Amino acid sequence: MEAVLTKPVKETVKTTGADAVLRVLVEEQTEFIFGYPGGAIMPVYDALYHYQDKIHHVLNRHEQGCIHAAQGYARATGRVGVVMATSGPGATNLITGIADAMIDSTPLVCITGQVGSHLLGSDAFQETDIISISMPVTKWNFQVTRAEELPAALARAFYIARSGRPGPVLIDITKDAQFGDLDFLYKKCQEIRSYKPVPKLDPNQVKKAADLINEAQRPFVLFGQGVILGKAEKEFKAFVEKTGIPSAWTLLGLSALPTDHPLNVGMLGMHGNYGPNKLTNECDVLIAIGMRFDDRVTGNLASYAKQARVIHLDIDPAEINKNVKVDVPVLGDCKESLTELTNQVRMNSHAKWLELFRKHDALEQETVIQDEIKPATGDMKMGEVIEEINKTTKGDAILVTDVGQHQMMACRYTQFNQSKSNITSGGLGTMGFCLPAALGAKLGAPERDVIAVIGDGGFQMTIQELGTIFQTKAAVKIVILNNSFLGMVRQWQQLFFDKRYSSTELENPDFVEIAQGYGIKGQSISERSALPEAIETMMKHDGSYLLEVHVGKEDNVFPMVPSGASVSDIRLS
């Protein structure tokens, strides 16, 4: 792809490749670099010494922590997260986070050092072909071997990462390119020939979609993260309010519409709400907006919404007809698409259809939810911890979750009033995501409360990032829901493998003492009566805080769509 660049904005400056990297980051208004130094990236770190008044470097304790922190920052701010690591193991330790960012459409620019260009292919110390390794999980990658290539390569990297459907980009820089000289002149990239990140909106497709919606008796909206990425929350709200269509969210779409909005009918998917799953197979028009019909939402595709006409609004042509056959595709930026669509649809209410969702809600409330958020006896439950957090935050906090039972409980029960408030690993399901991502989110949104809700298993995967929280003094509130199990795997073992709990029970350390070793205050509770005061103490504490809550060891998450089943087969118990 050949970059088309804007006119020069400054005179050239004679400098080094390493210094050029920092100059580009300043031009791109980079606030934070999440990084870990090493031999092959040392020239850039030496140059960084002179930019400490312009860019904050966050020294994570592991490269996986670097990239998850950058993801948390990007998701909380909508800006490009920047990551830096050395060659070999430094670069390969980023791969899990890069894959996570790719599938969850998170904009990142990852900068890795590399051995000198004369050593490429020689199996030199800490040499790894990170370009080949990262190619399947990046939106674009490029290896820089000459200093003069750096400004254009990095300009292109930022443009590709943030444009269209966002994603991660990796720039690998050989050590001699970092030491080399160049005449620096930065030209921000605004276009690349052959790369068209935003399809042109087709008015005919918008009209076809509007006609279907206007004729529908039981329309149903599924909204995903595309609404948030497209900064189209206002336009989406206007669309659903004009049409009166019940709307359900994917895991990453959560918070695009306030949780208590009367047309928000809940969560889709394997552990989503009863009504949205059941009624997917009863709607007559299905309107998917900025979501990709992944398997956790659809269940068995052979029986998914076969009765419905499907409208799909998306910015990525690759998602159209990938999993679900679409009757009316509407390609384009959903901010524009929704505006045009809203102009053409009729005012409606669909009150009887919405009431059917409410009847399913009532059944789920009686069968599942009441016992989760207000249990009368027994061990504490994850749902009641989330409910207590809701009382304190009143829906205004950023919630960051790891992966597992606690993730499903937190996403099901947390109240959100504003967008960019739910940060989790959706498509890849990366344990260890939460703690560093919460750090990145807090640095990106220091004015907001950031609460990391995490399981005892995932916490120990990146527990070393307590050191980064300590050093940055980021006021992250950490809630460990400790059931001494790898809970989601244990649930499947209970339900589908005759309770053969193979390698899922955990013997855990004293998490509070570990946190105290990092200068982080905390407490551990196991009694229900202590919960309200413990949450209040955590939220009022000036600084980071760790609260460990011991919950039932063998509690399960319901509703549940069994693997391979239809969404209509969702179980309440």
Side-chain angles (χ1 to χ4, degrees), residues 306-366:
K306 293 302 179 183
Q307 80 294 338
R309 304 290 297 278
V310 179
I311 300 167
H312 192 173
L313 281 66
D314 210 283
I315 201 169
D316 187 355
E319 293 300 338
I320 304 298
N321 293 319
K322 186 176 80 173
N323 295 323
V324 172
K325 178 72 172 62
V326 176
D327 295 282
V328 182
V330 181
L331 285 168
D333 185 326
C334 67
K335 193 176 185 73
E336 180 185 6
S337 304
L338 283 167
T339 300
E340 292 300 316
L341 190 57
T342 303
N343 288 337
Q344 297 187 39
V345 293
R346 290 196 295 263
M347 186 76 71
N348 215 327
S349 68
H350 299 290
K352 289 184 179 179
W353 171 233
L354 183 61
E355 182 59 28
L356 195 52
F357 283 88
R358 299 308 177 207
K359 288 180 179 178
H360 284 79
D361 287 347
L363 178 60
E364 185 178 346
Q365 281 280 344
E366 181 183 346

Side-chain angles (χ1 to χ4, degrees), residues 128-146:
T128 300
D129 184 1
I130 196 62
I131 294 297
S132 296
I133 291 171
S134 65
M135 190 173 293
V137 292
T138 49
K139 207 177 164 188
W140 180 66
N141 65 15
F142 185 72
Q143 187 173 74
V144 175
T145 58
R146 294 181 296 117

Side-chain angles (χ1 to χ4, degrees), residues 71-72 75-76 398-401 420-425 433 437 441:
Q71 287 177 274
R75 296 270 288 277
I398 292 175
L399 188 85
V400 188
T401 51
K420 296 186 181 70
S421 295
N422 175 56
I423 299 174
T424 193
S425 172
F433 172 89

Side-chain angles (χ1 to χ4, degrees), residues 74-151:
R75 296 270 288 277
T77 63
R79 303 182 65 185
V80 177
V82 176
V83 182
M84 200 152 67
T86 193
S87 63
T92 58
N93 281 343
L94 298 178
I95 291 297
T96 295
I98 293 174
D100 192 289
M102 185 68 176
I103 201 166
D104 281 355
S105 304
T106 305
L108 300 179
V109 169
C110 305
I111 299 167
T112 55
Q114 186 54 275
V115 300
S117 56
H118 66 289
L119 291 173
L120 291 172
S122 71
D123 293 333
F125 177 67
Q126 289 192 336
E127 181 200 359
T128 300
D129 184 1
I130 196 62
I131 294 297
S132 296
I133 291 171
S134 65
M135 190 173 293
V137 292
T138 49
K139 207 177 164 188
W140 180 66
N141 65 15
F142 185 72
Q143 187 173 74
V144 175
T145 58
R146 294 181 296 117
E148 56 266 31
E149 297 175 320
L150 274 164

